[in-house]
Amino acid sequence: MQASSNIADGLLVQPWSSVTLGDVSFIAKACFQDTCYGLLISDMDLVWYEEVDSDILKQRSQKLNKRLKAAVPAFFNHLTEIICPLLRGERTGATSSFTCERQLNQLVIHVKSELFGVPFYWDFCCSEARISMVSLHLVGPFLKMTLALQQQTQEFITLLERKDAEIQDYKENGAVLSRERLATGVFNKHAFMEEFLAKMLPESSVGKEGKVFTSELQELYTAVVKQEVDHKRKLHVLGDEKDDFDNQPPPADEKTGDPFLLDNEANQERDVSSQMTVEPFDIPQSTAVAFTASAIKSSVPSERASLKQKKKKAKGIFG
């Protein structure tokens, strides 16, 4: 499970490359590790995927290469040396050849090469990829790349319009172009888009030698995918921190270390307080009468003082 997770993460950040196997053009991406690999390949109609670990590689290599005996890491290294240069657009060695064959829902890529001077055969047996994988590696990143390119185009258009305004200001202040061949007309956004859709778009739909992914597009794809991976990793870390906080045990009692003692003591205090009742106590009658009389006497002077203050009239300025 850990190897599969590492392959998935490593394959996601790999850019797509344009490759030709036999007479068929594909886009492909691969991730090779010491004991496993993942290969994703498409002819722009279907997408196929294969993931191989050390057990599968050992069984298949023994079946296809009965005369060849080698350790499993040697087979992985050799496949890496065959496929990775191909994905980088480099020519494979003269001893390596590829042929493709479709079998039901599979794409089988037959490889013929040499290992330690002995013929080496290998078959990439790729099955149709799940829709979720196609969305993760193709649809989602391509939509984000489209939005990024659209934003970049708008910034270029804004820059051209500002340059035209700058040139017009120079002309109005008497500036003259020294070389006429450098003169350009005022940029027209709508005319440019019409010309692009009518002429340049059909020519740019397929690059030179059938290459769909240029180096610039590969860099943009890698940047978009890494940004998404980093965002998901941050959300995962924040989620783990929240789970750790929620799973923290209740505070323990300082004396006994029992986390449940505080709750029990609190419950006992609530029970005791609920059972407590305030019983009335009798005040002697003489004490009550004396208290009432003194209260009345103390309140009378304050009332008289307040009445006197109310009877006073406000004096005017002249008395």
Side-chain angles (χ1 to χ4, degrees):
M1 182 62 68
Q2 182 66 25
S4 179
S5 176
N6 293 338
I7 283 293
D9 295 340
L11 184 64
L12 181 59
V13 298
Q14 295 296 322
W16 288 93
S17 301
S18 301
V19 297
T20 300
L21 303 177
D23 298 330
V24 185
S25 297
F26 296 94
I27 60 172
K29 60 189 320 193
C31 177
F32 284 86
Q33 297 182 358
D34 294 337
T35 59
C36 54
Y37 74 77
L39 174 65
L40 193 62
I41 186 170
S42 173
D43 62 353
M44 305 307 290
D45 289 327
L46 294 174
V47 182
W48 296 273
Y49 176 69
E50 183 188 35
E51 184 175 328
V52 169
D53 57 15
S54 57
D55 294 334
I56 298 176
L57 187 139
K58 184 176 181 180
Q59 296 175 3
R60 192 181 299 175
S61 61
Q62 290 178 351
K63 179 181 178 181
L64 298 175
N65 305 276
K66 296 181 179 180
R67 295 175 51 192
L68 183 60
K69 302 296 181 181
V72 172
F75 290 128
F76 277 109
N77 291 335
H78 185 63
L79 290 175
T80 303
E81 294 173 355
I82 295 175
I83 298 299
C84 290
L86 184 67
L87 296 177
R88 291 194 297 263
E90 302 173 2
R91 292 184 179 181
T92 57
T95 59
S96 301
S97 62
F98 301 88
T99 57
C100 300
E101 179 184 1
R102 292 194 183 187
Q103 300 176 357
L104 297 178
N105 295 329
Q106 280 192 333
L107 173 69
V108 180
I109 304 173
H110 302 287
V111 180
K112 182 180 179 181
S113 182
E114 286 187 5
L115 179 60
F116 305 132
V118 180
F120 172 77
Y121 301 93
W122 181 256
D123 290 342
F124 291 97
C125 303
C126 305
S127 303
E128 288 189 15
R130 302 186 305 274
I131 295 178
S132 59
M133 177 171 283
V134 176
S135 177
L136 181 65
H137 289 267
L138 277 171
V139 180
F142 281 15
L143 288 176
K144 293 179 180 179
M145 289 173 62
T146 302
L147 292 176
L149 291 173
Q150 176 63 29
Q151 183 178 1
Q152 185 185 57
T153 301
Q154 185 59 45
E155 292 180 357
F156 285 155
I157 290 174
T158 302
L159 182 61
L160 286 173
E161 291 173 347
R162 292 178 59 187
K163 285 294 183 182
D164 285 340
E166 181 181 357
I167 293 173
Q168 183 64 29
D169 182 70
Y170 289 151
K171 290 181 178 179
E172 291 176 356
N173 286 276
V176 179
L177 189 65
S178 60
R179 288 172 288 184
E180 291 294 334
R181 61 183 179 85
L182 297 179
T184 58
V186 178
F187 177 76
N188 188 316
K189 175 181 176 181
H190 299 288
F192 172 79
M193 293 303 298
E194 290 178 359
E195 183 179 1
F196 175 79
L197 295 175
K199 297 181 179 180
M200 290 182 282
L201 182 61
E203 296 177 359
S204 62
S205 59
V206 178
K208 295 180 180 180
E209 300 178 359
K211 291 184 177 181
V212 178
F213 276 86
T214 62
S215 59
E216 291 81 4
L217 290 178
Q218 288 178 333
E219 292 178 1
L220 178 59
Y221 177 90
T222 303
V224 167
V225 173
K226 284 186 176 180
Q227 184 179 14
E228 183 68 19
V229 170
D230 293 340
H231 178 67
K232 290 183 178 180
R233 186 179 293 113
K234 290 180 181 178
L235 293 179
H236 182 70
V237 170
L238 293 176
D240 290 343
E241 292 178 353
K242 183 179 182 301
D243 293 339
D244 293 340
F245 179 79
D246 294 339
N247 294 330
Q248 287 182 355
D253 182 70
E254 296 181 356
K255 296 181 180 180
T256 62
D258 187 358
F260 299 100
L261 186 58
L262 294 177
D263 293 337
N264 293 333
E265 292 178 352
N267 293 332
Q268 291 176 2
E269 291 178 359
R270 284 195 295 269
D271 295 339
V272 171
S273 62
S274 62
Q275 294 175 1
M276 292 177 61
T277 58
V278 179
E279 297 182 359
F281 56 93
D282 297 332
I283 301 176
Q285 186 174 1
S286 59
T287 304
V289 172
F291 176 77
T292 305
S294 63
I296 294 174
K297 290 180 180 180
S298 62
S299 63
V300 169
S302 61
E303 292 179 358
R304 289 178 179 177
S306 62
L307 290 174
K308 289 180 179 181
Q309 292 177 357
K310 291 181 180 179
K311 289 181 179 180
K312 290 182 179 181
K313 294 182 179 180
K315 295 182 179 182
I317 299 175
F318 300 100

